[in-house]
């Protein structure tokens, strides 16, 4: 039962104050905290983060393909919190930006001068009727959760032919390439297992094309043609009927519905802004934290900034984008703190390394204009390359744990 104050019964009404509050200690929250401490060691910063574990989610694609163990993607949160930064081990339940306050699920009040909002994206598993009760069994799997990604590999490894469906819900989602990455790696495994000739691979995507950046889309279309993958665009998964192993889908162009029988299905869940953001004054009409796309500062609350998956920044939601957003946010927050104009500018950079099978990688890097923004000189990265695969497997995880989260990259 809730009291009029909004605090749960029996909740301790503790209140504390920090100069900077960071909501979410994922990729964005830790990176921003580390950069702020490096720039100004004296800042008083607190991170509100409910999870005791921190995940490097890009590795879940390789876990689902049996190439990495899931434990490699998880570390304790505590040692990742930068020294001198307070960790409030709790979830934010309510924002009151007009009063410079927020409230946690345990009923604590936190007052702040500056706020950085980065609680990630919400996975709306329940939006697909029939999904949650079979997820991880009976041929239904998903790489979008730590507890599930190993089941993806079990599903792919034990597949003996038939129809394998891979779904992509309406964007925005985190890592828009992930729904197809696992498909290419599954195709590899089906060939190794000798079942590919007896398999129909179907990509069902709500998007109008295989990838939003035309130059990479051309390469990925060629990959699909080479592999014999059926593509159905502007198609959405509406329901799973697991007892009959059927997927009900709709063609969004014609509104025509049909049922496809599957032997396995990899589902990428629909996603949206976290409810706590959606119901707050910080949200734009779609629910995301409403920030300026170049400065990362809130459009209505000048002491609030946001980055990462929960922000309204109109780019692909990836850790790679966070890596470029964080230095801009930190520079602008410090400028605001010093009452100076905001000089740093984010150009929408995002990256999506897509393993296309056979140890090849297509490294998609682009900006707000959907133009390629390659970071590797002298190499044409608009085509698949074997030389780039170790980047995904080894280089980027090392960059993440040892440099990005420490505010060094
Ligand atoms: P997160 O890292 O998700 O962190 C959000 C944090 O907020 C979490 O720790 C959560 O516990 C916390 N939180 C949630 N609610 C609250 C609350 N109410 N109060 C306080 N804290 C809260 N990116 C790439 O760059 N390359 C890839 O190849 C890639 N592949 C991916 C593959 C998969 C299968 C998935 C799932 C993601 C992939 N990503 C990839 C995307 C990348 O992981 C995210 O874009 C990135 O983690 C976003 O950072 P974030 O800090 O915004 O969110």
């Amino acid at each position: 039962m809730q009291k009029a104050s909004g605090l749960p019964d029996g909740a301790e009404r503790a209140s504390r104050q920090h100069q900077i509050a960071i909501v979410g200690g994922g990729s964005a929250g830790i990176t921003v905290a580390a950069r702020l401490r490096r720039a100004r060691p004296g800042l008083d910063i607190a991170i509100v983060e409910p999870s005791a574990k921190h995940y490097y989610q890009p590795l879940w694609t390789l876990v689902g393909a049996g190439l990495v163990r899931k434990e490699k993607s998880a570390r304790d949160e505590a040692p990742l919190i930068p020294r001198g930064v307070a960790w409030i081990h709790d979830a934010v339940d309510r924002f009151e930006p007009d009063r410079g306050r927020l409230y946690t699920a345990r009923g604590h009040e936190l007052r702040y001068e500056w706020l950085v909002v980065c609680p990630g994206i919400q996975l709306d598993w329940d939006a697909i009727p029939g999904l949650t009760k079979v997820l991880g069994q009976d041929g239904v799997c998903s790489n979008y959760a730590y507890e599930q990604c190993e089941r993806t590999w079990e599903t792919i490894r034990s597949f003996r032919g038939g129809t394998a469906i891979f779904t992509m819900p309406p964007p925005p989602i985190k890592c828009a390439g992930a729904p197809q990455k696992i498909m290419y790696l599954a195709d590899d495994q089906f060939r190794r297992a000798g079942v590919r000739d007896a398999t129909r691979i179907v990509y069902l995507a709500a998007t109008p094309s295989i990838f939003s950046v035309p130059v990479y889309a051309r390469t990925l279309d060629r990959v699909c043609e080479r592999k014999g993958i059926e593509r159905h665009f502007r198609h959405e998964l509406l329901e799973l009927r697991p007892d009959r192993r059927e997927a009900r889908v709709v063609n969004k162009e014609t509104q025509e519905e049909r049922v496809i029988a599957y032997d396995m299905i990899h589902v990428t869940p629909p996603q949206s802004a976290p409810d706590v953001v959606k119901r707050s004054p910080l949200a734009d009409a779609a629910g995301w934290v409403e920030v300026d796309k170049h400065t990362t500062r809130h459009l209505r609350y000048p002491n609030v900034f946001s980055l990462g998956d929960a922000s309204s920044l109109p780019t692909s939601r990836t850790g790679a984008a966070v890596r470029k957003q964080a230095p801009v946010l930190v520079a602008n927050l410090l400028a605001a703190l010093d009452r100076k104009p905001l000089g740093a500018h984010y150009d929408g950079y995002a990256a999506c390394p897509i393993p296309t099978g056979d140890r090849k990688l297509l490294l998609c890097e682009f900006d707000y204009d959907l133009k390629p923004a390659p970071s590797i000189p002298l190499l044409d990265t608009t085509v698949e390359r074997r030389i780039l695969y170790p980047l995904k497997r080894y280089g980027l995880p090392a960059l993440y744990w040892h440099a990005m989260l420490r505010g060094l990259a």
Side-chain angles (χ1 to χ4, degrees), residues 52-56 71-77 80 401-402:
K53 288 281 179 194
H54 185 109
Y55 302 102
Y56 177 61
E71 290 74 16
K72 287 269 178 207
S73 71
R75 293 204 181 169
D76 288 338
E77 178 80 2
L80 299 175
W401 295 117
H402 303 303

Side-chain angles (χ1 to χ4, degrees), residues 23-29 48-51 57-58 60-61 90-92 118-120 143-144 174-175 178 181 276 307-310 317-320 322 351 353 392:
V23 175
S27 307
V48 188
E49 167 59 61
S51 172
Q57 302 166 44
W60 295 349
T61 294
D90 204 344
V92 171
C118 44
N143 273 349
Y144 272 74
K174 56 179 155 186
C175 194
K181 295 176 190 180
V276 65
L307 76 169
D309 293 355
R317 285 164 166 76
T318 59
V322 167
K392 167 94 188 145

Side-chain angles (χ1 to χ4, degrees), residues 1-11 13 93-94 103-108 279:
M1 202 185 130
Q2 296 276 307
K3 291 181 181 167
S5 65
L7 297 178
D9 269 344
R13 286 163 169 275
D93 183 51
R94 186 158 53 94
Y103 295 88
T104 70
R106 292 195 191 141
H108 299 297
R279 60 174 185 253

Side-chain angles (χ1 to χ4, degrees), residues 3-332:
K3 291 181 181 167
S5 65
L7 297 178
D9 269 344
E12 193 190 329
R13 286 163 169 275
S15 176
R16 56 197 283 180
Q17 162 124 30
H18 288 277
Q19 191 179 11
I20 302 177
I22 300 177
V23 175
S27 307
I30 297 289
T31 306
V32 165
R35 284 185 167 271
L36 283 169
R37 286 288 298 185
R38 273 182 194 281
R40 302 253 174 107
L43 288 172
D44 164 27
I45 306 170
I47 296 180
V48 188
E49 167 59 61
S51 172
K53 288 281 179 194
H54 185 109
Y55 302 102
Y56 177 61
Q57 302 166 44
L59 224 43
W60 295 349
T61 294
L62 300 186
V63 175
L67 298 165
V68 179
R69 292 194 34 236
K70 77 171 191 292
E71 290 74 16
K72 287 269 178 207
S73 71
R75 293 204 181 169
D76 288 338
E77 178 80 2
L80 299 175
I81 305 273
R83 194 167 304 153
V85 171
W87 175 17
I88 301 173
H89 194 170
D90 204 344
V92 171
D93 183 51
R94 186 158 53 94
F95 291 98
E96 278 192 11
D98 291 299
R99 298 169 67 221
R101 282 155 212 240
L102 56 82
Y103 295 88
T104 70
R106 292 195 191 141
H108 299 297
E109 178 188 80
L110 174 60
R111 285 167 288 131
Y112 57 79
E113 290 165 38
W114 302 92
L115 178 66
V116 179
V117 187
C118 44
I121 200 166
Q122 180 169 288
L123 302 171
D124 297 327
W125 299 100
D126 289 332
I128 307 290
L131 174 59
T132 47
K133 68 174 185 220
V134 282
L135 189 57
Q137 51 191 334
D138 297 338
V140 181
C141 57
S142 180
N143 273 349
Y144 272 74
Y146 178 70
E147 310 75 36
Q148 291 295 330
C149 49
E150 247 169 23
R151 299 280 175 87
T152 301
W153 172 234
E154 284 160 27
T155 306
I156 289 171
R157 189 178 48 178
S158 58
F159 185 73
R160 292 290 165 263
T163 300
I165 301 178
F166 296 81
T167 71
M168 155 94 185
I173 64 165
K174 56 179 155 186
C175 194
Q180 61 185 286
K181 295 176 190 180
I182 189 61
M183 175 171 73
Y184 303 136
L185 297 173
D187 170 85
D188 255 11
Q189 171 59 20
F190 298 160
R191 284 170 202 276
R192 275 196 300 270
V195 299
R196 182 63 185 93
D197 286 345
T199 300
R200 174 185 172 211
I201 298 184
V202 180
Y203 186 54
L204 280 180
T207 50
S209 64
I210 193 89
F211 203 76
S212 57
V213 183
V215 68
Y216 300 120
R218 281 196 286 279
T219 303
L220 291 166
D221 275 328
R222 279 199 298 272
V223 170
C224 289
E225 272 151 36
R226 185 177 79 222
K227 290 176 180 293
I229 292 173
E230 264 180 53
R231 285 147 288 160
H232 300 272
F233 297 113
R234 298 190 174 89
H235 275 67
E236 270 179 52
L237 174 64
L238 294 177
E239 181 193 358
L240 280 189
R241 296 170 179 166
D243 38 337
R244 280 173 276 167
R245 291 202 177 210
E246 286 175 353
R248 187 163 66 90
V249 305
V250 62
N251 178 333
K252 293 300 280 183
E253 240 170 358
T254 61
Q255 296 308 320
E256 187 198 331
E257 285 189 22
R258 65 191 163 118
V259 168
I260 309 180
Y262 63 81
D263 295 280
M264 74 151 274
I265 182 165
H266 177 275
V267 179
T268 298
Q271 297 168 39
S272 63
D275 287 341
V276 65
V277 175
K278 270 187 212 135
R279 60 174 185 253
S280 81
L282 299 171
D284 66 8
W288 310 103
V289 185
E290 187 172 27
V291 291
D292 178 271
K293 72 182 221 182
H294 295 302
T295 64
T296 77
R297 187 186 219 172
H298 200 278
L299 291 183
R300 287 170 284 114
Y301 296 99
N303 64 335
V304 178
F305 289 77
S306 177
L307 76 169
D309 293 355
S311 75
S312 66
L313 295 170
T315 191
S316 182
R317 285 164 166 76
T318 59
V322 167
R323 187 162 73 81
K324 296 288 186 181
Q325 291 159 8
V328 172
L329 184 150
V330 167
N332 285 338

